[in-house]
């Protein structure tokens, strides 16, 4: 595996290998031990064109636990507007002899563009509305730890699917692993032809959550209201916010997930988010570090025959 | 100027080419004699006059020089992308002898002096007629009507705001109505802006997978439907540029059947490529309007064959590497097209969907008729704007190796058949 740019195109075998490795790192992390020799002498740069404290911290911790030298670079959009292009940045990074490059960007495809120009292995930490591969991996790992498998489970992804890279990566991953995927949300937040990605589409939480093993909530950005995609956050919460009443449509032991940061009272009721019998939201954060350790470890290995890098 | 140049011109005779004149439908093997910048004779076996230059035309086609309805020059304002000099080189290599220059330059062609300057710059090249469009609105900003009558008087060939749609219905109504007074043609970029703004790919499965802000294909038909209604209301002369969807073509077909004076063109990407070309975020395939679904590509071919589409324009939009080496949504839309205009059109002939006569009509007599030009035909006495090409000779389109400055072709890597071997402007050989 040369880069991790997308889940789309990864084989179930590669996904399974990553999850198994991440599982072992999860155990290691809980035991309090480290493996600082794995990436000793390697340089990891967190290149964030979009603010995200939690994802950046998660990658930083993952790199440090494996012994890499971790550097955080926040590139504000203003300096990009001053004329420094993505490719100028790539040239700089090449000169610094970076081994691993974690990229977050508000534009779909930006990590693909960087991957063409840098010598480092590129890890997509979220690009526009395209993909967020490590989020899907950590979600899958969390589910697998609770259910023992992904195959045969029914997973409802709810909310702003149209603008969500988390939804896209999860759809690709869960489909590859044999889950049944539903998307639930108002039509204005559903991307065109989403069913072609292998999901069933619901516009009603009762039907969409019926018998679901996992309810995955997505963050709703305030901007959606100003752009007339929705009338108000109050109305959104009424029909699509996850509360006890709506959760009751799912299986009694359904897991509740959220990629964070949550808008409490908009897409999820605080009582549900904090309910330990359903919510695995904190565990998602924990698995995030383990999954990122697995990805860094895998990408830092010398190239082997049959390398895979996703569709891109 | 004319006389001075012609005085230095040698007579030329092109021998034994397949001479195709789409304006008259003639398609014969003949010798064509060029004297004093005009076609002096067409026939067989008269031989060449003493001292005439002889050009062997066997196995080649001689057709009128191509007339390109849509070209962004880069001048004035973006000489870093393309200059009149570099456009001239690329046009000659593509068999193009006249081109219509889009007005969305910097400054925009909203002043009669600029129209005159562009025409003069074309004449200076000696190889290319530049036919400038005038801006519909000042600065192509979509607000205040430009001095359309004065632009027309200065020689503007028609009116358009280039890549920007004429948005408000009232403005379009007034422009169509006002230009009726002197017979001007209004060229619309048919795209409803409220649906298209911020979008960079056609809405559908691919854009969803790539996570790109999308434009529904219906944005085109919606604008076309409104403008047809306004043309009906005003009697204005309306032309739709780079039509790319079946729904829009159906509306245009019906409007013409009704007797409205509505015409349209398309560009090679819309009948040769579909949206799959943008897969993997290929910014060289980012165009405006965006590439469409396969069904629309097929509908465009049907429109070319059945006469709904009047012309094929290159829609040449020069961009430099920095305009394109960006994340897809931020990259500048547009592709070069001068050198590929003929061969990509010929691919439809080789593929059996268009006759050679019809294909060449779309590149010569079609646009000439639309604009009321004297060129675009091979007839005794007509200006000797000519293109000689070998219809089967294969070559590969390679960005970086094309004539002209801008290299942002959406056809990079494409194998094509059909190579221009000679271009004449007013009897003077300018290529080959």
């Amino acid at each position: 595996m040369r880069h991790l740019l997308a889940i789309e195109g990864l084989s179930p075998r590669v996904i399974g290998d990553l999850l198994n490795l991440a599982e072992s790192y999860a155990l290691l992390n809980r035991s309090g031990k480290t493996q600082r020799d794995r990436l000793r002498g390697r340089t990891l740069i967190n290149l964030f064109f979009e603010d995200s404290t939690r994802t950046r911290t998660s990658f930083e911790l993952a790199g440090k636990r494996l012994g890499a030298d971790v550097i955080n670079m926040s590139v504000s959009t203003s300096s990009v507007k001053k004329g420094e292009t993505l490719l100028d940045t790539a040239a700089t990074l090449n000169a610094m002899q970076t081994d691993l490059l974690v990229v977050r960007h508000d534009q779909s495809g930006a990590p693909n563009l960087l991957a063409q120009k840098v010598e480092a292995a590129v890890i997509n930490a979220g690009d526009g509305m395209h993909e967020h591969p490590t989020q899907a991996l950590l979600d899958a790992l969390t589910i697998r730890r609770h259910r023992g498998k992904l195959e045969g489970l029914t997973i409802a992804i709810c909310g702003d699917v149209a603008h969500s890279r988390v939804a896209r990566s999860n759809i690709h991953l869960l489909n590859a692993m044999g889950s049944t995927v539903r998307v639930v949300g108002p039509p204005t937040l559903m991307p065109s032809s989403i069913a072609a990605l292998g999901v069933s589409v619901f516009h009603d939480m009762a039907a969409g959550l019926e018998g679901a093993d996992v309810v995955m909530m997505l963050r709703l950005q305030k901007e959606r209201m100003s752009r007339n995609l929705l009338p108000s956050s109050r109305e959104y919460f009424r029909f699509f916010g996850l509360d006890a009443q709506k959760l009751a449509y799912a299986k009694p032991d359904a897991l509740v997930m959220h990629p964070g940061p949550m808008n409490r009272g908009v897409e999820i009721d605080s009582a549900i988010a904090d309910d330990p019998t359903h919510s695995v939201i904190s565990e998602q954060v924990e698995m995030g570090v383990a999954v990122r350790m697995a990805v860094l470890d895998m990408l830092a290995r010398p190239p082997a025959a049959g390398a895979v890098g996703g569709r891109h | 100027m004319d006389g001075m140049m012609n005085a230095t011109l040698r007579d030329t005779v092109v021998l034994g080419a397949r001479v195709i004149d789409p304006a008259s439908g003639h398609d014969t093997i003949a010798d064509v004699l060029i004297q004093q910048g005009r076609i002096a004779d067409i026939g067989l076996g008269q031989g060449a006059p003493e001292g005439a230059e002889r050009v062997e035309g066997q196995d080649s086609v001689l057709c009128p020089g191509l007339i390109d309805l849509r070209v962004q020059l880069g001048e004035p304002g973006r000489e870093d992308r393309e200059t009149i000099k570099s456009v001239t080189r690329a046009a000659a290599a593509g068999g193009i002898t006249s081109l219509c220059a889009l007005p969305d330059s910097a400054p925009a062609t909203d002043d009669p002096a600029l129209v005159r300057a562009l025409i003069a710059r074309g004449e200076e090249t000696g190889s290319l007629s530049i036919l400038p469009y005038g801006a519909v609105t000042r600065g192509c900003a979509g607000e205040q009507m430009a001095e359309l009558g004065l632009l027309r008087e200065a020689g503007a060939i028609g009116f358009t705001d280039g890549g920007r749609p004429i948005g408000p219905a009232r403005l379009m109504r007034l422009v169509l109505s006002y230009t009726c007074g002197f017979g001007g043609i209004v060229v619309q970029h048919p795209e409803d802006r409220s649906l298209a703004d911020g979008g960079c790919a056609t809405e559908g499965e691919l854009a969803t997978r790539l996570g790109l802000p999308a434009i529904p294909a219906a944005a085109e038909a919606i604008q076309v439907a409104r403008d047809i209604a306004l043309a009906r209301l005003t009697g204005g002369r309306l032309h739709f540029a780079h039509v790319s969807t079946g729904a829009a073509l159906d509306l245009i077909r019906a409007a013409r059947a009704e007797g409205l004076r509505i015409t349209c063109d398309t560009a090679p990407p819309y009948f040769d490529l579909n949206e799959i070309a943008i897969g993997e975020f290929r910014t060289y395939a980012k165009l405006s309007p965006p590439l469409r679904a396969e069904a629309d590509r097929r509908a465009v071919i049907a429109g070319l064959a059945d006469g709904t589409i009047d012309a094929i324009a290159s829609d040449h939009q020069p961009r430099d590497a920095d305009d394109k080496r960006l994340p897809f949504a931020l990259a500048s839309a547009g592709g070069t097209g001068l050198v590929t205009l003929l061969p990509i059109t010929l691919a439809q002939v080789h593929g059996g969907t268009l006759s050679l006569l019809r294909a060449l009509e779309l590149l010569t007599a079609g646009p000439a008729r639309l604009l009321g030009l004297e060129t675009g035909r091979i007839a005794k006495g007509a200006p000797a704007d000519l293109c000689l090409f070998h219809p089967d000779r294969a070559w590969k389109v390679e960005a970086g190796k094309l004539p002209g400055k801008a290299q942002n072709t959406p056809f990079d890597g494409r194998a094509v058949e059909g190579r221009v071997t000679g271009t004449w402007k007013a009897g003077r050989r300018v290529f080959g």
Side-chain angles (χ1 to χ4, degrees):
Chain A
M1 193 152 107
R2 169 92 175 88
H3 305 289
L4 179 64
L5 301 174
I7 296 291
E8 187 177 12
L10 289 187
S11 69
R13 186 183 56 79
V14 170
I15 294 168
D17 287 351
L18 276 167
L19 293 177
N20 291 340
L21 186 59
E23 178 88 51
S24 68
Y25 278 123
L27 295 173
L28 186 81
N29 287 343
R30 283 200 176 172
S31 75
K33 293 185 195 138
T34 54
Q35 273 217 351
R36 294 193 194 275
D37 53 330
R38 279 299 324 162
L39 296 183
R40 179 162 298 142
R42 306 292 187 99
T43 305
L44 183 161
I45 295 190
N46 272 325
L47 183 62
F48 277 58
F49 292 88
E50 198 183 61
D51 284 339
S52 167
T53 310
R54 58 170 63 213
T55 305
R56 182 180 51 70
T57 311
S58 182
F59 271 106
E60 186 174 355
L61 208 51
K64 284 182 172 164
R65 286 201 179 148
L66 295 174
D69 298 320
V70 182
I71 292 149
N72 293 319
M73 284 175 66
S74 291
V75 189
S76 66
T77 25
S78 64
S79 77
V80 173
K81 277 184 184 139
K82 275 179 205 152
E84 165 145 338
T85 67
L86 207 50
L87 299 183
D88 294 333
T89 312
T92 310
L93 295 169
N94 279 338
M96 291 176 181
Q97 278 139 28
T98 313
D99 298 296
L100 295 153
L101 181 64
V102 175
V103 186
R104 159 72 60 102
H105 203 288
D106 66 353
Q107 290 292 326
S108 302
N112 302 66
L113 182 61
L114 266 176
Q116 290 167 19
K117 305 288 171 187
V118 296
E119 286 146 27
V122 175
I123 298 134
N124 179 4
D127 63 326
M129 305 183 292
H130 178 220
E131 287 230 30
H132 191 351
T134 55
Q135 179 70 43
L137 287 163
L138 75 88
D139 289 342
L141 180 60
T142 308
I143 298 169
R144 213 178 70 163
R145 283 167 59 89
H146 284 268
R147 292 288 177 269
K149 58 171 187 176
L150 295 165
E151 199 179 348
L153 299 181
T154 296
I155 290 148
I157 302 175
C158 308
D160 186 3
V161 177
H163 301 91
S164 177
R165 52 196 174 213
V166 173
R168 283 173 178 75
S169 286
N170 265 305
I171 290 168
H172 295 309
L173 189 151
L174 294 166
N175 273 326
M177 303 310 277
S179 311
T180 299
V181 187
R182 301 174 182 171
V183 291
V184 191
T188 48
L189 296 182
M190 282 297 158
S192 162
S193 310
I194 185 72
L197 273 63
V199 298
S200 3
V201 182
F202 295 84
H203 303 306
D204 170 68
M205 289 290 267
L209 265 53
E210 179 70 43
D213 296 283
V214 178
V215 181
M216 215 177 249
M217 300 309 295
L218 300 171
R219 180 178 163 78
L220 182 79
Q221 289 182 355
K222 298 254 157 51
E223 172 206 322
R224 309 297 171 226
M225 264 68 78
S226 60
R227 292 189 50 227
N228 270 333
L229 291 165
L230 294 170
S232 72
S233 58
R234 178 172 83 156
E235 178 162 328
Y236 184 73
F237 184 71
R238 165 70 187 85
F239 296 109
F240 298 98
L242 188 67
D243 55 15
Q245 194 197 344
K246 296 192 193 88
L247 183 57
Y249 297 116
K251 282 193 178 155
D253 61 346
L255 302 178
V256 172
M257 308 179 75
H258 193 294
M262 284 181 279
N263 289 307
R264 291 165 182 267
V266 180
E267 70 262 4
I268 191 163
D269 191 357
S270 267
I272 299 297
D274 302 331
D275 176 359
T277 60
H278 293 287
S279 173
V280 292
I281 295 170
S282 315
E283 190 177 336
Q284 286 176 272
V285 179
E286 182 190 350
M287 291 308 118
V289 178
V291 153
R292 284 158 187 141
M293 289 168 79
V295 168
L296 296 175
D297 182 359
M298 200 88 112
L299 287 173
R301 291 176 186 185
V308 285
R311 204 167 73 86
H312 305 289
Chain B
M1 177 91 188
D2 214 14
M4 231 168 69
M5 228 152 74
N6 286 343
T8 65
L9 271 182
R10 258 175 92 187
D11 293 352
T12 301
V13 60
V14 181
L15 296 158
R18 180 176 170 191
V19 179
I20 300 184
D21 176 42
S24 62
H26 284 140
D27 179 353
T28 48
I29 304 286
D31 303 334
V32 172
L33 176 65
I34 304 166
Q35 284 178 324
Q36 301 297 308
R38 291 191 175 258
I39 294 164
D41 202 5
I42 306 161
L44 251 190
Q46 285 106 326
E50 188 96 356
E53 187 185 354
R54 298 161 62 92
V55 177
E56 296 301 332
Q58 280 82 2
D59 303 323
S60 292
V61 172
L62 185 70
C63 70
L66 275 47
I67 300 168
D68 189 346
L69 279 182
R70 284 182 76 77
V71 174
Q72 196 175 63
L73 289 177
E75 258 189 77
R78 289 309 302 263
E79 291 81 357
D80 56 321
R81 288 173 169 171
E82 190 89 272
T83 61
I84 287 173
K85 197 173 165 191
S86 67
V87 155
T88 300
R89 239 178 8 247
I96 297 164
T97 50
S98 300
L99 59 79
C100 302
L102 292 167
D104 43 354
S105 44
T109 316
D110 59 3
D111 188 293
L114 192 49
V115 172
R116 288 195 188 91
L118 284 171
I119 294 171
R121 292 289 304 278
E123 283 167 358
E124 279 168 25
T125 68
S127 69
L128 182 66
S129 295
I130 295 179
L131 313 171
Y133 285 110
V136 168
T137 59
R138 288 176 195 268
C140 292
E143 282 166 21
Q144 198 189 352
M145 200 192 290
E147 294 166 313
L148 304 183
L150 293 176
L151 290 167
R152 167 77 170 190
E153 190 179 50
I157 200 84
F159 306 100
T160 179
D161 274 350
R164 181 189 172 110
I166 301 158
R170 180 174 178 274
L171 176 65
M172 185 52 139
R173 179 207 173 151
L174 293 174
V175 167
L176 282 169
S177 186
Y178 188 75
T179 50
C180 268
F182 48 83
I185 183 170
V186 178
V187 178
Q188 172 72 309
H189 167 77
E191 193 171 49
D192 181 284
R193 284 195 73 180
S194 71
L195 289 171
D197 269 359
C200 62
T202 298
E203 197 169 283
E205 183 187 341
L206 182 69
T208 291
R209 281 182 189 276
L210 295 173
L212 294 174
I215 304 170
E220 182 171 281
I222 288 167
Q223 191 72 69
V224 165
R226 184 204 75 175
D227 289 343
I228 288 172
L230 292 173
R232 193 183 290 123
L233 179 67
T234 57
R237 177 72 185 85
L238 177 61
H239 177 87
F240 293 109
H242 46 213
V243 175
S244 60
T245 64
L249 286 166
D250 288 345
L251 291 166
I252 293 165
R253 202 174 276 122
R256 288 162 67 124
E258 185 192 322
L260 295 177
R261 290 188 306 159
I262 287 172
T263 51
C264 69
D265 68 73
T266 192
Y270 303 110
F271 57 81
D272 193 77
L273 301 172
N274 64 26
E275 60 184 348
I276 302 299
I278 69 164
E280 322 289 305
F281 303 101
R282 279 192 64 234
T283 56
Y284 275 39
K286 180 178 175 180
L287 306 173
S288 174
L291 290 170
R292 307 296 191 185
E294 174 61 11
D296 280 322
R297 185 186 76 88
R298 290 172 181 273
V300 170
I301 294 172
L304 290 170
D306 74 10
T308 305
I309 298 172
D310 301 90
I312 298 172
S314 73
D315 215 0
H316 181 78
Q317 298 277 339
R319 299 291 181 268
D320 70 16
D322 289 342
D323 296 320
K324 288 290 189 183
R325 281 186 200 145
L326 288 168
F328 194 87
L330 300 180
S332 180
T336 61
L338 298 171
V339 188
T340 46
L341 178 60
L342 178 65
I344 299 292
T345 301
L346 289 177
Q348 295 301 321
V349 177
H350 296 306
T353 51
L354 292 182
S355 69
L356 183 57
L357 185 69
R358 173 67 182 146
L360 294 177
E361 180 184 22
L362 287 157
L363 298 170
T364 60
R369 202 179 300 132
L370 221 145
L371 297 172
L373 303 177
E374 189 198 7
T375 51
R377 61 201 175 96
I378 298 185
K380 251 192 208 179
D385 286 9
L386 296 166
C387 167
L388 183 70
F389 66 94
H390 197 295
D392 305 317
R393 193 170 296 168
W395 61 286
K396 193 172 167 187
V397 180
E398 281 180 271
K401 294 186 179 172
L402 299 174
K405 191 167 180 185
Q407 298 292 320
N408 54 303
T409 171
F411 301 108
D412 190 22
R414 173 90 152 74
V416 291
E417 285 174 73
R419 183 130 221 184
V420 175
T421 52
T423 306
W424 286 264
K425 177 67 188 176
R428 197 170 80 92
R429 189 153 192 178
V430 296
F431 178 76

